[in-house]
Amino acid sequence: METNTNAYLVGGPRDGSSQDAGDRALLEIEIDGMIHRYIRTTKQHGDHDTIYNYDGMVAPGGGEPGVEDPAARVASPKADAEGHGRTH
């Protein structure tokens, strides 16, 4: 049996588009230097695509002083894997 890994994106800058998501529950897309997050739902679009809802935008390096506490940010797995925001 084939597993369909297509994500149908709802909301945000890629609203209505589809892309391969693999088996990830959190899909992060970098657009113009910012990371946009989409979260997998249990809903289907049509017969095949899994719906991913827009969850917002984050800076790859975390928060900016005065806007949010950079040390208290929720890490972006994609940004952390690419080394954004590391100080060592």
Side-chain angles (χ1 to χ4, degrees):
M1 181 171 129
E2 281 187 44
T3 301
N4 188 321
T5 60
N6 282 343
Y8 181 80
L9 307 179
V10 175
R14 297 288 162 96
D15 184 44
S17 65
S18 293
Q19 78 173 58
D20 184 54
D23 62 352
R24 294 175 292 199
L26 174 65
L27 182 60
E28 294 185 311
I29 302 169
E30 186 172 347
I31 303 170
D32 296 330
M34 299 300 281
I35 294 178
H36 297 266
R37 294 177 169 177
Y38 289 85
I39 298 176
R40 183 175 58 209
T41 70
T42 58
K43 305 290 184 194
Q44 295 292 118
H45 179 262
D47 292 333
H48 303 290
D49 294 352
T50 300
I51 293 177
Y52 280 66
N53 284 331
Y54 187 64
D55 187 49
M57 176 179 72
V58 295
E64 299 291 327
V67 177
E68 66 179 67
D69 180 5
R73 76 174 177 92
V74 175
S76 163
K78 179 176 180 163
D80 287 346
E82 293 175 358
H84 295 285
R86 292 191 183 151
T87 58
H88 52 276

